[in-house]
Amino acid sequence: MQCWGITDLGCTRTQNQDMYQIEQLDKHTVLCVVCDGMGGAKSGNVASTLAADVFAQEIRRSFVSGMDVEQIDQMLRSAVKLANFTVFDQSQQFEEFAGMGTTLVAVLVQGKQVTVVNVGDSRAYSIKEDGINQLTTDHSLVQMMIDKGELTPEQAKTYPGKNLITRAIGTEMVVRCDVFHHKASDGECFLLCTDGLCNMVDDQEMLFEVVHGGDVAGVCERLLAIAKNRGAPDNVTCVLVQV
């Protein structure tokens, strides 16, 4: 198992409010986390850093080698709950952090057992030679409209409210997360990214870079370069895990 990650300001922002972490939990288990902060000049960065740190720390504290699917599911949900409480608590205590929040998407790969958790519109993809599959579902206004048949996926890409999310870490006292389970095959890759990447690079381009673009170790750099060549108006972050 190998992991790579990259984060960048993009072409217009003055501060990077994205955050990622990669943690080797044991010989056969890795945890990757990506967060995209929102809020004022300081608070978005605080929210993403705090959420990623607390989430990863709680997983490190709770993880035991050989955990089954149900135990992993509960551990991830508990870590999301703690991260949410921590960010929300800070937003209530300090005026400069009022209203801050962050997305969170994480993947825990234990051998061939893959578990993904998400809140917000940062995404996780499964990528193999025969195709790409988005494992997560965006918690966003445009996804709700797509689900209701009010927008097509193509229309959603340019819809004025495409950046409005319906769930976030830290904006309310209680948050709901989604958890997905997946059995990996040899060579399968898992890509985590913020919307700064997936708004600029489409799924088929991600697939091409992983399968045909060259050395898999350079995928994150190549995807970032594509996003920046197209103007990258937001911070851009991606993490790749190869089983």
Side-chain angles (χ1 to χ4, degrees):
M1 188 164 21
Q2 300 183 83
C3 305
W4 304 270
I6 196 166
T7 187
D8 191 270
L9 273 173
C11 298
T12 62
R13 296 293 178 90
T14 58
Q15 183 187 53
N16 191 348
Q17 296 189 341
D18 287 358
M19 171 63 62
Y20 79 88
Q21 291 194 27
I22 298 172
E23 299 278 347
Q24 189 79 39
L25 299 177
D26 67 17
K27 185 178 179 180
H28 305 290
T29 309
V30 68
L31 173 73
C32 301
V33 188
V34 168
C35 293
D36 180 356
M38 58 188 189
K42 294 182 180 179
S43 58
N45 183 57
V46 171
S48 61
T49 301
L50 193 57
D53 285 348
V54 170
F55 180 86
Q57 287 169 11
E58 179 62 10
I59 298 298
R60 285 197 303 269
R61 185 192 70 80
S62 306
F63 177 76
V64 178
S65 297
M67 295 175 80
D68 62 27
V69 172
E70 185 175 332
Q71 291 170 325
I72 290 172
D73 187 305
Q74 185 56 49
M75 177 180 67
L76 292 173
R77 291 181 187 276
S78 295
V80 166
K81 183 178 179 180
L82 183 59
N84 182 74
F85 172 80
T86 305
V87 175
F88 181 77
D89 181 63
Q90 291 294 297
S91 74
Q92 298 300 298
Q93 288 196 46
F94 300 98
E95 185 177 347
E96 64 268 34
F97 298 154
M100 71 176 178
T102 181
T103 68
L104 184 148
V105 62
V107 60
L108 190 143
V109 182
Q110 185 180 41
K112 296 298 177 63
Q113 178 61 49
V114 177
T115 310
V116 176
V117 61
N118 80 299
V119 177
D121 64 352
S122 294
R123 294 179 177 178
Y125 292 89
S126 160
I127 303 176
K128 300 186 287 186
E129 285 193 7
D130 60 354
I132 181 169
N133 179 37
Q134 184 178 329
L135 298 176
T136 53
T137 300
D138 295 350
H139 302 138
S140 65
L141 175 63
V142 293
Q143 186 60 53
M144 289 178 62
M145 295 177 74
I146 290 170
D147 293 343
K148 293 177 180 178
E150 298 171 358
L151 284 178
T152 67
E154 281 302 313
Q155 290 171 331
K157 292 179 181 179
T158 56
Y159 187 75
K162 69 178 182 178
N163 294 323
L164 296 175
I165 59 176
T166 55
R167 296 188 208 173
I169 297 285
T171 55
E172 297 180 4
M173 188 176 295
V174 177
V175 70
R176 290 182 297 122
C177 62
D178 292 340
V179 178
F180 305 89
H181 301 285
H182 182 86
K183 277 291 184 183
S185 55
D186 289 338
E188 187 169 358
C189 291
F190 297 90
L191 178 72
L192 307 183
C193 65
T194 58
D195 65 344
L197 181 74
C198 54
N199 283 343
M200 294 286 102
V201 183
D202 69 32
D203 293 4
Q204 292 304 307
E205 290 172 315
M206 295 179 192
L207 173 63
F208 179 87
E209 290 302 331
V210 171
V211 176
H212 304 294
D215 185 4
V216 70
V219 166
C220 293
E221 287 81 0
R222 294 196 297 271
L223 292 175
L224 172 61
I226 294 170
K228 293 186 75 171
N229 285 339
R230 293 172 181 170
D234 201 354
N235 306 146
V236 180
T237 300
C238 61
V239 170
L240 187 73
V241 184
Q242 185 180 49
V243 176

